[in-house]
Amino acid sequence: MTAFQENNEALSRNEFLATELLKIVNSLPGFFPLKNELQEKLDNLRSIIQGLRPPRVMVIGRSRSGKSSLINAICGLKVAKVSDTTPETGMAEWKKYYHNGSDLL
C-alpha cells in the first residue's frame, strides 16, 4: 500500500469519526453547554477532511457507452482502461484512479 493510499484511508477513518461524533453531539439536549460550538467545529472538521481527499465521481452506463473515456477526459490522462468488451450485466463497483502514485478520483 502506498503512502497516498494510507493517507486516503486515514482521511476516510477521520471523516467517519467526525460524523459519528457529530451524531452524538446532535443527540445532546439543547441546553447542554457548548453543544452549538461542538457542532460547528465538527462540521468544519468534516469539511476540511472532505476537501483533502480526492473527489468521488459516480458514472453509470451500459457497457461500451464511454464511461472510461469520460473518466480519462475528466482526469486529462489515460487512467481508466478503455476496451472493446461485450455487454454484460454486472455489479456496481468503486474504482480508484491514480497517476504517479497520487489519487485522482
Side-chain angles (χ1 to χ4, degrees):
M1 183 177 295
T2 69
F4 292 104
Q5 291 169 322
E6 289 175 8
N7 187 41
N8 197 27
E9 286 186 15
L11 287 172
S12 293
R13 284 192 307 271
N14 290 335
E15 181 181 0
F16 175 78
L17 180 60
T19 300
E20 293 302 306
L21 287 171
L22 187 57
K23 288 178 187 177
I24 293 169
V25 170
N26 287 340
S27 69
L28 295 173
F31 61 84
F32 187 81
L34 304 175
K35 176 180 178 178
N36 292 336
E37 185 178 339
L38 286 171
Q39 286 172 320
E40 182 180 333
K41 289 190 183 294
L42 287 169
D43 276 334
N44 288 341
L45 178 61
R46 280 187 346 157
S47 294
I48 290 168
I49 291 170
Q50 289 172 348
L52 292 173
R53 67 172 186 197
R56 294 179 182 169
V57 177
M58 181 177 285
V59 180
I60 301 171
R62 295 177 182 248
S63 295
R64 299 174 51 197
S65 64
K67 298 180 298 297
S68 296
S69 297
L70 177 62
I71 293 295
N72 290 335
I74 290 170
C75 294
L77 299 163
K78 187 172 181 177
V79 294
K81 182 180 174 186
V82 179
S83 64
D84 187 21
T85 61
T86 57
E88 60 182 62
T89 301
M91 301 248 331
E93 59 184 278
W94 285 102
K95 294 185 180 182
K96 295 182 180 183
Y97 296 103
Y98 305 96
H99 179 69
N100 292 338
S102 295
D103 291 341
L104 293 176
L105 290 174

XYZ file of all heavy atoms in Angstrom:
824
model
N 0.851 -1.170 0.000
C 0.000 0.000 0.000
C 0.903 1.241 0.000
O 1.833 1.335 0.791
C -0.902 -0.014 1.238
C -1.868 1.147 1.276
S -3.010 1.117 2.674
C -3.949 -0.337 2.335
N 0.589 2.191 -0.872
C 1.400 3.399 -0.968
C 1.039 4.376 0.150
O 0.005 4.254 0.803
C 1.180 4.110 -2.317
O -0.141 4.645 -2.352
C 1.405 3.176 -3.490
N 1.907 5.354 0.346
C 1.653 6.383 1.357
C 0.381 7.150 1.026
O -0.376 7.541 1.927
C 2.842 7.327 1.458
N 0.125 7.363 -0.271
C -1.086 8.083 -0.676
C -2.335 7.284 -0.326
O -3.329 7.842 0.128
C -1.054 8.395 -2.171
C -0.004 9.397 -2.544
C 1.160 8.986 -3.167
C -0.163 10.741 -2.265
C 2.142 9.900 -3.500
C 0.796 11.670 -2.598
C 1.963 11.249 -3.213
N -2.288 5.967 -0.532
C -3.434 5.134 -0.192
C -3.657 5.112 1.318
O -4.790 5.169 1.777
C -3.230 3.713 -0.730
C -3.292 3.627 -2.235
C -2.829 2.281 -2.763
O -1.888 1.702 -2.244
N -3.487 1.802 -3.807
N -2.558 5.022 2.080
C -2.675 5.046 3.535
C -3.270 6.366 4.008
O -4.112 6.394 4.904
C -1.306 4.823 4.178
C -0.790 3.411 4.022
C 0.615 3.236 4.565
O 1.141 4.171 5.195
O 1.176 2.148 4.342
N -2.837 7.461 3.397
C -3.363 8.777 3.744
C -4.857 8.866 3.438
O -5.630 9.395 4.237
C -2.594 9.860 2.984
C -2.981 11.251 3.418
O -3.163 11.523 4.588
N -3.095 12.143 2.455
N -5.258 8.329 2.289
C -6.671 8.354 1.901
C -7.512 7.536 2.880
O -8.611 7.951 3.265
C -6.825 7.836 0.472
C -8.163 8.207 -0.127
O -8.772 9.197 0.252
N -8.609 7.409 -1.068
N -6.994 6.382 3.310
C -7.730 5.566 4.283
C -7.818 6.285 5.632
O -8.841 6.226 6.302
C -7.065 4.200 4.437
C -7.312 3.291 3.250
C -6.783 1.892 3.462
O -6.470 1.516 4.609
O -6.694 1.162 2.465
N -6.739 6.955 6.020
C -6.757 7.714 7.280
C -7.781 8.843 7.208
O -8.508 9.082 8.175
C -5.367 8.270 7.581
N -7.858 9.522 6.063
C -8.855 10.580 5.899
C -10.270 10.014 6.013
O -11.137 10.611 6.644
C -8.677 11.286 4.558
C -7.485 12.221 4.432
C -7.332 12.690 2.993
C -7.616 13.403 5.369
N -10.508 8.843 5.405
C -11.833 8.211 5.479
C -12.185 7.850 6.914
O -13.318 8.065 7.355
C -11.876 6.963 4.600
O -11.771 7.310 3.242
N -11.212 7.304 7.658
C -11.473 6.959 9.064
C -11.770 8.207 9.885
O -12.690 8.226 10.703
C -10.264 6.216 9.654
C -10.137 4.778 9.217
C -9.103 4.026 10.050
N -7.811 4.679 10.097
C -6.821 4.478 9.221
N -7.000 3.632 8.218
N -5.669 5.108 9.336
N -11.006 9.266 9.647
C -11.220 10.504 10.398
C -12.559 11.141 10.048
O -13.234 11.696 10.919
C -10.075 11.478 10.155
C -8.788 11.013 10.801
O -8.810 10.267 11.770
N -7.664 11.435 10.258
N -12.938 11.082 8.782
C -14.242 11.618 8.380
C -15.363 10.821 9.054
O -16.332 11.395 9.551
C -14.393 11.569 6.863
C -15.700 12.135 6.375
C -15.863 12.064 4.869
O -14.957 11.565 4.182
O -16.908 12.505 4.381
N -15.228 9.502 9.090
C -16.215 8.650 9.748
C -16.313 9.003 11.238
O -17.405 9.142 11.788
C -15.853 7.169 9.575
C -16.753 6.237 10.336
C -18.009 5.923 9.858
C -16.344 5.689 11.541
C -18.854 5.077 10.560
C -17.176 4.843 12.256
C -18.424 4.531 11.761
N -15.159 9.177 11.885
C -15.128 9.513 13.306
C -15.799 10.856 13.572
O -16.616 10.985 14.486
C -13.685 9.538 13.810
C -13.483 9.882 15.282
C -14.201 8.888 16.176
C -12.006 9.925 15.606
N -15.498 11.856 12.752
C -16.115 13.175 12.916
C -17.628 13.091 12.727
O -18.392 13.727 13.459
C -15.502 14.175 11.939
N -18.071 12.303 11.767
C -19.509 12.130 11.513
C -20.194 11.464 12.700
O -21.274 11.887 13.121
C -19.730 11.303 10.234
O -19.128 11.985 9.134
C -21.209 11.101 9.944
N -19.565 10.425 13.246
C -20.153 9.732 14.397
C -20.188 10.644 15.630
O -21.168 10.646 16.371
C -19.382 8.437 14.703
C -19.522 7.385 13.622
C -20.969 6.996 13.346
O -21.678 6.622 14.303
O -21.396 7.067 12.178
N -19.135 11.412 15.839
C -19.132 12.361 16.962
C -20.222 13.407 16.796
O -20.876 13.794 17.768
C -17.763 13.031 17.079
C -16.628 12.170 17.627
C -15.294 12.885 17.481
C -16.890 11.810 19.080
N -20.415 13.860 15.558
C -21.465 14.842 15.291
C -22.844 14.268 15.601
O -23.699 14.961 16.151
C -21.385 15.322 13.842
C -22.296 16.474 13.455
C -22.050 17.697 14.335
C -22.102 16.837 12.002
N -23.053 12.999 15.298
C -24.328 12.354 15.632
C -24.563 12.368 17.146
O -25.675 12.617 17.612
C -24.359 10.914 15.117
C -24.494 10.782 13.623
C -24.459 9.317 13.217
C -24.433 9.138 11.724
N -24.325 7.710 11.340
N -23.503 12.082 17.894
C -23.622 12.077 19.359
C -23.936 13.481 19.868
O -24.831 13.667 20.697
C -22.331 11.525 20.001
C -22.177 10.041 19.671
C -22.334 11.751 21.512
C -20.817 9.459 20.021
N -23.206 14.469 19.372
C -23.426 15.851 19.810
C -24.837 16.304 19.432
O -25.516 16.972 20.218
C -22.359 16.792 19.209
C -22.704 18.249 19.450
C -20.985 16.463 19.793
N -25.303 15.934 18.260
C -26.660 16.312 17.823
C -27.732 15.714 18.727
O -28.814 16.287 18.869
C -26.903 15.882 16.382
C -26.167 16.737 15.378
O -25.758 17.853 15.673
N -25.964 16.206 14.191
N -27.451 14.571 19.339
C -28.448 13.928 20.201
C -28.474 14.516 21.613
O -29.366 14.186 22.401
C -28.185 12.420 20.275
O -26.991 12.161 20.995
N -27.513 15.379 21.938
C -27.492 16.006 23.256
C -28.649 16.996 23.386
O -29.073 17.592 22.401
C -26.163 16.744 23.473
C -24.903 15.890 23.534
C -23.668 16.784 23.575
C -24.935 14.969 24.742
N -29.157 17.187 24.610
C -30.234 18.173 24.801
C -29.753 19.576 24.447
O -28.564 19.891 24.553
C -30.569 18.070 26.292
C -29.674 17.055 26.883
C -28.779 16.518 25.822
N -30.671 20.421 24.033
C -30.351 21.772 23.590
C -29.700 22.641 24.650
O -28.947 23.555 24.333
N -29.961 22.357 25.912
C -29.401 23.185 26.973
C -27.977 22.772 27.344
O -27.340 23.399 28.175
C -30.291 23.130 28.230
C -30.444 21.754 28.814
C -29.497 21.246 29.689
C -31.544 20.975 28.492
C -29.639 19.979 30.231
C -31.695 19.710 29.036
C -30.740 19.202 29.908
N -27.451 21.723 26.719
C -26.094 21.257 27.017
C -25.085 22.345 26.660
O -25.096 22.866 25.548
C -25.792 19.979 26.232
C -24.489 19.329 26.602
C -24.401 18.514 27.718
C -23.356 19.541 25.845
C -23.201 17.913 28.066
C -22.149 18.943 26.182
C -22.073 18.136 27.294
N -24.197 22.705 27.609
C -23.221 23.766 27.325
C -22.314 23.385 26.154
O -21.901 22.245 26.023
C -22.408 23.879 28.615
C -23.116 23.074 29.636
C -24.055 22.153 28.940
N -22.042 24.318 25.309
C -21.119 24.168 24.177
C -21.630 23.286 23.033
O -20.887 22.977 22.115
C -19.753 23.638 24.643
C -19.037 24.435 25.728
C -17.774 23.724 26.154
C -18.714 25.828 25.250
N -22.895 22.863 23.079
C -23.400 21.989 22.023
C -23.250 22.650 20.655
O -22.742 22.032 19.715
C -24.869 21.631 22.273
C -25.470 20.792 21.148
C -26.920 20.433 21.383
C -27.457 19.635 20.210
N -28.836 19.219 20.422
N -23.695 23.898 20.519
C -23.620 24.575 19.220
C -22.181 24.742 18.748
O -21.878 24.583 17.568
C -24.322 25.934 19.277
C -25.825 25.793 19.436
O -26.401 24.782 19.076
N -26.449 26.803 20.014
N -21.284 25.060 19.686
C -19.883 25.236 19.336
C -19.267 23.913 18.863
O -18.519 23.873 17.886
C -19.103 25.776 20.533
C -17.662 26.108 20.210
C -16.919 26.682 21.410
O -17.573 27.192 22.341
O -15.694 26.602 21.393
N -19.595 22.813 19.537
C -19.102 21.493 19.127
C -19.632 21.116 17.741
O -18.891 20.582 16.913
C -19.505 20.433 20.152
C -18.747 20.432 21.470
C -19.393 19.474 22.464
C -17.298 20.058 21.237
N -20.912 21.384 17.495
C -21.492 21.078 16.183
C -20.764 21.840 15.085
O -20.423 21.275 14.043
C -22.982 21.438 16.160
C -23.846 20.485 16.931
C -25.272 20.985 17.046
O -25.516 22.174 17.252
N -26.221 20.069 16.916
N -20.524 23.114 15.325
C -19.855 23.950 14.327
C -18.431 23.458 14.058
O -18.004 23.345 12.911
C -19.827 25.401 14.798
C -19.206 26.355 13.802
C -19.199 27.787 14.309
O -20.073 28.147 15.124
O -18.309 28.532 13.892
N -17.696 23.133 15.113
C -16.313 22.678 14.953
C -16.245 21.323 14.245
O -15.377 21.099 13.400
C -15.610 22.627 16.299
C -15.340 24.023 16.862
C -14.449 23.985 18.059
C -14.238 25.348 18.649
N -13.522 26.281 17.811
N -17.165 20.420 14.566
C -17.183 19.118 13.898
C -17.584 19.250 12.429
O -17.038 18.563 11.567
C -18.113 18.148 14.639
C -17.565 17.623 15.967
C -18.651 16.894 16.740
C -16.369 16.714 15.728
N -18.536 20.137 12.130
C -18.898 20.399 10.728
C -17.706 20.953 9.954
O -17.451 20.547 8.815
C -20.072 21.383 10.642
C -21.418 20.703 10.793
O -21.521 19.498 10.469
O -22.361 21.382 11.213
N -16.974 21.887 10.573
C -15.785 22.447 9.924
C -14.729 21.380 9.690
O -14.099 21.337 8.627
C -15.195 23.589 10.764
C -16.051 24.833 10.722
O -16.872 25.016 9.840
N -15.870 25.695 11.713
N -14.528 20.507 10.673
C -13.551 19.427 10.540
C -13.916 18.503 9.388
O -13.063 18.145 8.574
C -13.449 18.644 11.852
C -12.504 17.454 11.857
C -11.073 17.901 11.563
C -12.582 16.720 13.195
N -15.183 18.121 9.307
C -15.622 17.253 8.193
C -15.408 17.933 6.853
O -14.972 17.301 5.893
C -17.100 16.872 8.351
C -17.319 15.762 9.310
C -18.734 15.261 9.342
N -19.684 16.137 8.686
C -20.847 15.758 8.202
N -21.221 14.516 8.297
N -21.659 16.609 7.638
N -15.700 19.213 6.757
C -15.498 19.950 5.503
C -14.025 19.972 5.103
O -13.692 19.797 3.925
C -16.005 21.386 5.630
O -17.389 21.407 5.792
N -13.163 20.166 6.072
C -11.724 20.180 5.785
C -11.264 18.807 5.308
O -10.537 18.686 4.320
C -10.935 20.624 7.037
C -11.185 22.102 7.307
C -9.441 20.348 6.876
C -10.698 22.577 8.655
N -11.707 17.761 5.991
C -11.326 16.396 5.604
C -11.822 16.087 4.196
O -11.085 15.529 3.371
C -11.870 15.368 6.617
C -11.147 15.514 7.957
C -11.729 13.946 6.084
C -11.767 14.716 9.091
N -13.058 16.459 3.885
C -13.608 16.195 2.553
C -12.853 16.964 1.480
O -12.706 16.494 0.360
C -15.096 16.526 2.514
C -15.928 15.544 3.304
C -17.383 15.965 3.435
O -17.751 17.088 3.136
N -18.208 15.056 3.918
N -12.329 18.141 1.829
C -11.558 18.920 0.873
C -10.188 18.331 0.592
O -9.584 18.610 -0.444
N -9.670 17.508 1.494
C -8.345 16.917 1.336
C -8.340 15.638 0.503
O -7.324 15.284 -0.069
C -7.743 16.608 2.713
C -7.381 17.808 3.576
C -6.975 17.353 4.966
C -6.274 18.613 2.930
N -9.455 14.944 0.476
C -9.478 13.666 -0.245
C -9.760 13.899 -1.725
O -10.302 14.942 -2.115
C -10.510 12.734 0.359
C -11.894 13.235 0.137
C -12.937 12.270 0.536
N -14.158 12.932 0.093
C -15.351 12.663 0.458
N -15.564 11.707 1.263
N -16.371 13.330 0.010
N -9.443 12.927 -2.556
C -9.756 13.057 -3.982
C -11.270 13.067 -4.190
O -12.013 12.512 -3.378
C -9.134 11.821 -4.621
C -8.644 10.960 -3.533
C -8.776 11.683 -2.238
N -11.728 13.706 -5.253
C -13.174 13.738 -5.498
C -13.733 12.347 -5.769
O -13.035 11.476 -6.270
C -13.318 14.632 -6.734
C -11.979 14.662 -7.356
C -10.983 14.380 -6.290
N -14.989 12.170 -5.426
C -15.689 10.912 -5.714
C -16.676 11.181 -6.833
O -17.478 12.103 -6.763
C -16.419 10.417 -4.478
C -15.486 10.028 -3.377
C -16.239 9.571 -2.161
N -15.298 9.254 -1.101
C -15.650 9.021 0.148
N -16.914 9.074 0.479
N -14.753 8.739 1.047
N -16.606 10.371 -7.864
C -17.452 10.540 -9.031
C -18.136 9.209 -9.320
O -17.492 8.165 -9.273
C -16.610 10.960 -10.264
C -17.471 11.060 -11.509
C -15.881 12.259 -9.999
N -19.435 9.248 -9.595
C -20.138 8.036 -9.973
C -20.558 8.164 -11.432
O -21.192 9.148 -11.811
C -21.370 7.810 -9.101
C -22.103 6.531 -9.456
S -23.515 6.193 -8.397
C -22.679 5.658 -6.928
N -20.160 7.182 -12.219
C -20.512 7.156 -13.634
C -21.294 5.874 -13.875
O -20.831 4.785 -13.545
C -19.241 7.189 -14.526
C -19.621 7.168 -15.986
C -18.392 8.397 -14.200
N -22.472 6.024 -14.428
C -23.348 4.880 -14.665
C -23.661 4.806 -16.151
O -23.938 5.831 -16.784
C -24.663 5.029 -13.864
C -24.362 5.127 -12.372
C -25.614 3.882 -14.160
C -25.555 5.492 -11.529
N -23.612 3.605 -16.692
C -23.961 3.437 -18.094
C -23.764 2.007 -18.542
O -23.154 1.195 -17.856
N -24.268 1.733 -19.697
C -24.125 0.399 -20.277
C -22.684 0.155 -20.707
O -21.896 1.082 -20.846
C -25.037 0.255 -21.488
C -26.498 0.320 -21.149
C -27.313 0.242 -22.434
N -28.710 0.356 -22.122
C -29.588 -0.632 -22.266
N -29.197 -1.782 -22.746
N -30.833 -0.459 -21.948
N -22.374 -1.110 -20.953
C -21.058 -1.452 -21.476
C -20.831 -0.730 -22.793
O -21.762 -0.559 -23.589
C -20.951 -2.964 -21.715
O -21.032 -3.654 -20.489
N -19.602 -0.280 -22.976
C -19.180 0.392 -24.209
C -19.917 1.708 -24.446
O -20.059 2.152 -25.567
C -19.336 -0.545 -25.407
C -18.496 -1.792 -25.285
C -18.726 -2.793 -26.377
N -18.633 -2.149 -27.685
C -19.098 -2.674 -28.787
N -19.693 -3.845 -28.755
N -18.979 -2.059 -29.931
N -20.379 2.359 -23.379
C -21.083 3.633 -23.556
C -20.159 4.839 -23.361
O -20.607 5.970 -23.501
C -22.276 3.720 -22.597
O -21.830 3.719 -21.260
N -18.887 4.595 -23.010
C -17.932 5.690 -22.900
C -17.606 6.126 -21.483
O -17.063 7.206 -21.272
N -17.922 5.286 -20.473
C -17.643 5.647 -19.080
C -16.147 5.846 -18.840
O -15.733 6.845 -18.265
C -18.197 4.583 -18.132
C -19.710 4.406 -18.208
C -20.196 3.340 -17.263
C -19.661 1.950 -17.540
N -20.036 1.359 -18.812
N -15.344 4.904 -19.289
C -13.889 5.012 -19.102
C -13.325 6.193 -19.873
O -12.440 6.910 -19.380
C -13.196 3.718 -19.534
O -13.590 2.646 -18.699
N -13.827 6.418 -21.051
C -13.372 7.573 -21.838
C -13.708 8.875 -21.122
O -12.918 9.826 -21.136
C -14.013 7.561 -23.226
O -13.599 6.420 -23.946
N -14.871 8.929 -20.478
C -15.262 10.116 -19.721
C -14.316 10.336 -18.539
O -13.870 11.463 -18.303
C -16.709 9.988 -19.231
C -17.216 11.128 -18.355
C -17.215 12.443 -19.122
C -18.608 10.814 -17.835
N -14.001 9.277 -17.810
C -13.059 9.382 -16.687
C -11.712 9.895 -17.187
O -11.103 10.790 -16.581
C -12.889 8.028 -15.966
C -14.183 7.607 -15.269
C -11.718 8.060 -14.989
C -14.621 8.504 -14.143
N -11.230 9.355 -18.297
C -9.957 9.809 -18.865
C -10.022 11.285 -19.252
O -9.069 12.031 -19.048
C -9.565 8.947 -20.058
C -9.155 7.539 -19.652
O -8.729 7.317 -18.527
N -9.292 6.600 -20.561
N -11.155 11.712 -19.797
C -11.301 13.120 -20.187
C -11.336 14.031 -18.953
O -10.727 15.102 -18.951
C -12.575 13.301 -21.020
N -12.017 13.605 -17.901
C -12.078 14.392 -16.666
C -10.681 14.556 -16.076
O -10.308 15.646 -15.646
C -13.034 13.736 -15.645
C -14.479 13.867 -16.105
C -12.854 14.345 -14.255
C -15.468 13.052 -15.288
N -9.906 13.471 -16.070
C -8.565 13.498 -15.474
C -7.529 14.129 -16.406
O -6.461 14.532 -15.954
C -8.123 12.082 -15.116
S -9.104 11.343 -13.804
N -7.838 14.182 -17.690
C -6.865 14.693 -18.649
C -5.708 13.735 -18.867
O -4.661 14.117 -19.374
N -5.884 12.487 -18.475
C -4.866 11.446 -18.589
C -5.555 10.128 -18.907
O -6.751 9.975 -18.659
C -4.114 11.267 -17.269
C -3.346 12.459 -16.722
C -3.039 12.239 -15.256
C -2.066 12.635 -17.513
N -4.791 9.163 -19.403
C -5.352 7.836 -19.630
C -5.144 7.017 -18.359
O -4.117 6.377 -18.178
C -4.695 7.155 -20.825
C -5.374 5.868 -21.186
C -4.871 5.283 -22.477
C -5.640 4.006 -22.740
N -5.283 3.399 -23.992
N -6.121 7.081 -17.446
C -6.042 6.364 -16.172
C -7.006 5.184 -16.130
O -6.795 4.244 -15.372
C -6.296 7.298 -14.966
C -5.188 8.316 -14.832
C -7.646 7.979 -15.058
N -8.068 5.242 -16.916
C -9.049 4.159 -16.962
C -8.829 3.357 -18.236
O -8.670 3.924 -19.315
C -10.474 4.709 -16.933
N -8.801 2.051 -18.087
C -8.594 1.170 -19.228
C -9.814 1.229 -20.141
O -10.952 1.067 -19.704
C -8.374 -0.264 -18.746
C -8.099 -1.242 -19.847
C -7.890 -2.637 -19.274
C -7.762 -3.653 -20.393
N -7.695 -5.017 -19.867
N -9.575 1.505 -21.413
C -10.633 1.545 -22.419
C -10.501 0.274 -23.234
O -9.425 -0.043 -23.735
C -10.492 2.785 -23.334
C -11.582 2.799 -24.387
C -10.525 4.052 -22.506
N -11.607 -0.477 -23.340
C -11.537 -1.735 -24.079
C -12.826 -1.967 -24.854
O -13.846 -1.344 -24.595
C -11.286 -2.907 -23.125
O -12.370 -3.048 -22.230
N -12.729 -2.864 -25.787
C -13.883 -3.255 -26.587
C -14.411 -4.562 -26.004
O -13.959 -5.638 -26.357
C -13.461 -3.438 -28.047
C -14.648 -3.685 -28.958
O -15.770 -3.324 -28.569
O -14.455 -4.233 -30.054
N -15.362 -4.450 -25.067
C -15.884 -5.633 -24.396
C -17.308 -5.905 -24.845
O -18.005 -5.018 -25.328
C -15.882 -5.457 -22.864
O -16.729 -4.342 -22.545
C -14.488 -5.216 -22.335
N -17.724 -7.119 -24.642
C -19.106 -7.459 -24.952
C -19.976 -7.047 -23.774
O -19.568 -7.179 -22.616
C -19.272 -8.969 -25.201
O -18.800 -9.678 -24.055
C -18.485 -9.412 -26.413
N -21.165 -6.523 -24.038
C -22.043 -6.094 -22.952
C -22.394 -7.250 -22.027
O -22.611 -8.372 -22.466
C -23.287 -5.587 -23.678
C -22.833 -5.274 -25.055
C -21.725 -6.246 -25.352
N -22.410 -6.976 -20.744
C -22.806 -7.962 -19.750
C -23.394 -7.239 -18.552
O -23.071 -6.089 -18.296
C -21.618 -8.820 -19.316
C -20.498 -8.010 -18.697
C -19.308 -8.865 -18.321
O -18.704 -9.469 -19.201
O -19.009 -8.896 -17.122
N -24.249 -7.924 -17.840
C -24.811 -7.342 -16.631
C -23.839 -7.603 -15.496
O -23.405 -8.725 -15.297
C -26.180 -7.976 -16.308
O -27.035 -7.752 -17.417
C -26.773 -7.373 -15.057
N -23.499 -6.576 -14.783
C -22.538 -6.729 -13.699
C -22.960 -5.914 -12.493
O -23.930 -5.173 -12.523
N -22.199 -6.074 -11.449
C -22.463 -5.345 -10.220
C -21.756 -3.999 -10.279
O -20.721 -3.863 -10.913
C -21.922 -6.134 -9.024
C -22.518 -7.513 -8.901
S -23.567 -7.806 -7.507
C -23.024 -6.764 -6.239
N -22.317 -3.019 -9.591
C -21.671 -1.711 -9.480
C -20.404 -1.877 -8.655
O -20.341 -2.699 -7.749
C -22.612 -0.722 -8.818
N -19.385 -1.116 -8.987
C -18.147 -1.197 -8.233
C -17.466 0.158 -8.194
O -17.598 0.962 -9.109
C -17.195 -2.234 -8.832
C -16.820 -1.952 -10.281
C -15.952 -3.041 -10.881
O -14.730 -3.016 -10.641
O -16.510 -3.893 -11.572
N -16.782 0.426 -7.075
C -15.990 1.640 -6.937
C -14.597 1.347 -7.456
O -14.028 0.320 -7.155
C -15.907 2.071 -5.477
C -17.166 2.700 -4.966
C -18.109 2.117 -4.182
C -17.623 4.032 -5.216
N -19.129 3.004 -3.930
C -18.853 4.190 -4.545
C -17.112 5.104 -5.940
C -19.570 5.370 -4.576
C -17.835 6.289 -5.964
C -19.043 6.406 -5.291
N -14.060 2.245 -8.236
C -12.695 2.112 -8.733
C -11.926 3.348 -8.318
O -12.479 4.430 -8.210
C -12.679 1.981 -10.254
C -13.323 0.716 -10.750
C -13.176 0.584 -12.243
C -13.823 -0.701 -12.712
N -13.656 -0.893 -14.143
N -10.631 3.165 -8.084
C -9.762 4.283 -7.741
C -8.780 4.474 -8.886
O -8.260 3.504 -9.434
C -9.018 4.018 -6.433
C -9.951 3.937 -5.255
C -9.190 3.726 -3.966
C -10.173 3.662 -2.806
N -9.488 3.533 -1.529
N -8.543 5.719 -9.257
C -7.630 6.029 -10.344
C -6.469 6.843 -9.809
O -6.658 7.803 -9.075
C -8.365 6.783 -11.458
C -9.449 5.936 -12.084
C -10.779 6.126 -11.770
C -9.124 4.915 -12.965
C -11.769 5.329 -12.322
C -10.108 4.113 -13.525
C -11.424 4.325 -13.201
O -12.390 3.535 -13.746
N -5.264 6.416 -10.167
C -4.035 7.030 -9.684
C -3.184 7.500 -10.857
O -3.288 6.981 -11.958
C -3.203 6.016 -8.878
C -3.950 5.380 -7.743
C -4.558 4.141 -7.887
C -4.052 6.026 -6.518
C -5.245 3.556 -6.841
C -4.742 5.447 -5.467
C -5.340 4.213 -5.639
O -6.017 3.634 -4.602
N -2.321 8.465 -10.591
C -1.316 8.911 -11.552
C -0.059 9.261 -10.764
O -0.120 10.086 -9.847
C -1.797 10.107 -12.365
C -0.791 10.614 -13.335
N -0.423 9.889 -14.445
C -0.061 11.747 -13.364
C 0.484 10.566 -15.120
N 0.728 11.692 -14.472
N 1.041 8.609 -11.093
C 2.307 8.829 -10.389
C 2.162 8.673 -8.878
O 2.701 9.443 -8.106
C 2.900 10.204 -10.712
C 3.365 10.315 -12.144
O 3.636 9.309 -12.797
N 3.455 11.523 -12.635
N 1.350 7.699 -8.453
C 1.182 7.423 -7.027
C 0.196 8.314 -6.303
O -0.034 8.142 -5.122
N -0.394 9.287 -6.989
C -1.353 10.193 -6.357
C -2.774 9.801 -6.741
O -3.033 9.425 -7.880
C -1.122 11.638 -6.820
O 0.128 12.101 -6.385
N -3.681 9.885 -5.778
C -5.098 9.629 -6.050
C -5.644 10.739 -6.931
O -5.442 11.911 -6.648
C -5.904 9.595 -4.757
C -5.573 8.391 -3.895
O -5.026 7.438 -4.415
O -5.890 8.435 -2.697
N -6.352 10.372 -7.994
C -7.027 11.344 -8.835
C -8.519 11.351 -8.551
O -9.123 12.393 -8.366
C -6.803 11.025 -10.316
C -5.372 11.172 -10.835
C -5.296 10.723 -12.276
C -4.909 12.606 -10.699
N -9.124 10.177 -8.582
C -10.573 10.010 -8.360
C -10.779 8.742 -7.560
O -10.086 7.795 -7.708
C -11.325 9.856 -9.681
C -11.434 11.051 -10.591
C -12.082 10.650 -11.900
C -12.263 12.133 -9.948
